[in-house]
């Protein structure tokens, strides 16, 4: 009954804890059906043309195709039961309030799975899909050095480095480590944004904060770099908010529940658009 007015402020205070990053940084597409959705791929990067002498027949070289299959995993916000008395007496719209709360619950688990999902009855997280770009030298269990960041950047092919949205992704604790790094001239690697809505920059590339990326520790995959937009999120229609009026009628309660269907995986035809920095084991 804390929301029932008894001469209180009329404002509701919420506890905050940062989450998100993947839906903003990835590419999201919608589908009307949850049927398996194959996305064809091909990798012809190992092939080149050939120089021919006069009157010489050209050789053959097929193109090999593959596919990435998007599923539609079902997510629940978990159910909240509300006494009818509270709905009648509250100074706030309980329906509106809970729609936001349940949506945030879904957002938290989706961001975790889109980041570290193991692709076993759940999405393939971007960390899981990434390949090794650089491993820290001995002693770099909770840190990273300038040279390692340069090596990580250049572990990605220039074709991907030129793509819009290419940049770094890490959690805020790793950002704190990098903000203290300086180049050989004593200049900070971290460049704060001077434009509203624009991300901060590291070595010329935007920085995206995602709290579900591992903190720096032994063997941790703590920094991602690459074409983050190559991570695709499939959304099946809209989030569904269910209002159960009769189920708990004998208790004079109304239950609220939200459902969503999503999948996420990397569009990688074989040339590793996103790679990770792993801290040293010792």
């Amino acid at each position: 009954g804390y929301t029932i007015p008894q001469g209180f402020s009329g404002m509701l205070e919420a506890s905050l804890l940062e989450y998100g990053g993947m839906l903003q940084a990835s590419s999201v597409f919608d589908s009307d059906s949850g049927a398996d959705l194959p996305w064809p791929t091909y990798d012809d990067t190992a092939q080149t043309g050939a120089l021919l002498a006069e009157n010489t027949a050209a050789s053959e070289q097929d193109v090999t195709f593959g596919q990435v299959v998007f599923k539609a995993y079902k997510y629940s916000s978990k159910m909240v039961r509300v006494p009818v008395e509270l709905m009648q007496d509250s100074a706030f719209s309980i329906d509106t309030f809970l729609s936001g709360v349940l949506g945030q619950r879904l957002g938290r688990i989706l961001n975790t799975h889109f980041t570290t999902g193991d692709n076993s009855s759940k999405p393939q997280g971007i960390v899981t899909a990434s390949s090794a770009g650089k491993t820290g030298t001995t002693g770099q269990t909770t840190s990273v050095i300038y040279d390692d960041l340069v090596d990580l950047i250049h572990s990605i092919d220039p074709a991907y480095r030129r793509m819009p949205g290419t940049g770094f992704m890490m959690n805020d604790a790793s950002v704190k480590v990098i903000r203290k790094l300086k180049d050989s001239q004593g200049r900070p690697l971290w460049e704060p944004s001077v434009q509203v809505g624009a991300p901060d920059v590291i070595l010329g590339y935007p920085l995206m904060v995602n709290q579900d990326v591992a903190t720096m520790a032994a063997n941790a995959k703590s920094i991602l770099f690459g074409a983050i937009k190559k991570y695709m999120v499939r959304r099946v229609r809209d989030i569904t908010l269910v209002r159960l009026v009769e189920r708990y009628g004998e208790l004079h309660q109304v239950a609220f529940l939200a459902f969503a269907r999503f999948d996420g995986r990397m569009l990688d035809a074989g040339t590793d658009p996103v790679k990770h920095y792993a801290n040293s084991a010792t």
Side-chain angles (χ1 to χ4, degrees):
Y2 290 158
T3 63
I4 298 175
Q6 297 177 357
F8 77 148
S9 68
M11 297 183 66
L12 185 64
E13 176 63 20
S15 177
L16 301 179
L17 196 64
E18 176 70 15
Y19 74 94
M22 286 304 302
L23 284 174
Q24 295 85 349
S26 62
S27 299
V28 181
F29 68 96
D30 295 301
S31 63
D32 291 330
S33 165
D36 284 2
L37 195 157
W39 194 301
T41 65
Y42 79 97
D43 181 4
D44 200 51
T45 56
Q47 308 304 326
T48 65
L51 179 65
L52 289 179
E54 188 175 353
N55 297 322
T56 301
S59 60
E60 293 186 23
Q61 179 62 59
D62 290 339
V63 176
T64 302
F65 288 89
Q67 66 179 13
V68 174
V69 180
F70 288 87
K71 303 288 186 177
Y73 298 108
K74 187 176 182 178
Y75 289 87
S76 159
S77 65
K78 299 179 181 177
M79 188 167 60
V80 176
R81 284 192 281 164
V82 184
V84 172
E85 292 88 346
L86 176 59
M87 297 183 64
Q88 292 174 343
D89 298 342
S90 176
F92 304 98
S93 168
I94 298 297
D95 297 61
T96 301
F97 167 71
L98 284 179
S99 65
V101 170
L102 300 184
Q104 289 174 0
R105 288 183 179 182
L106 290 170
R108 291 187 186 100
I109 188 172
L110 287 170
N111 194 80
T112 298
H113 284 182
F114 293 157
T115 305
T116 58
D118 61 9
N119 202 23
S120 177
S121 299
K122 66 172 67 71
Q124 174 196 46
I126 191 171
V127 175
T128 306
S130 67
S131 56
K134 180 66 179 181
T135 300
T137 56
T138 301
Q140 299 292 110
T141 54
T142 58
S143 58
V144 63
I145 61 175
Y146 172 86
D147 288 354
D148 288 344
L149 290 177
V150 173
D151 287 343
L152 178 61
I153 290 173
H154 286 272
S155 70
I156 296 292
D157 191 88
Y160 287 124
R161 297 206 307 265
R162 290 193 297 266
M163 292 186 65
T166 294
F168 290 94
M169 177 176 282
M170 66 193 78
N171 71 27
D172 192 59
S174 299
V175 174
K176 181 174 70 173
V177 172
I178 289 180
R179 288 187 67 175
K180 299 175 183 178
L181 294 180
K182 299 177 177 63
D183 65 16
S184 59
Q185 304 300 315
R187 297 169 298 191
L189 303 187
W190 182 77
E191 301 174 34
S193 173
V194 295
Q195 180 179 348
V196 176
D200 300 323
V201 173
I202 300 174
L203 296 175
Y205 290 95
L207 164 66
M208 292 155 274
V209 175
N210 179 352
Q211 293 294 75
D212 282 312
V213 177
T215 57
M216 291 191 176
N219 290 320
K221 299 173 183 177
S222 57
I223 301 175
L224 299 175
F225 177 80
I228 308 295
K229 288 291 185 184
K230 284 294 181 181
Y231 187 86
M232 307 293 294
V233 171
R234 180 197 190 182
R235 177 173 55 201
V236 181
R237 302 201 174 193
D238 295 325
I239 294 176
T240 303
L241 180 64
V242 179
R243 195 175 190 268
L244 303 176
V245 178
E246 297 181 359
R247 179 173 177 181
Y248 299 101
E250 75 279 10
L251 299 173
H252 208 206
Q253 295 176 343
V254 177
F256 294 86
L257 180 62
F259 296 101
R261 299 173 75 193
F262 279 88
D263 191 16
R265 50 199 64 242
M266 184 80 73
L267 275 188
D268 181 3
T271 49
D272 305 319
V274 175
K275 295 189 178 183
H276 61 257
Y277 165 80
N279 292 90
S280 173
T282 58

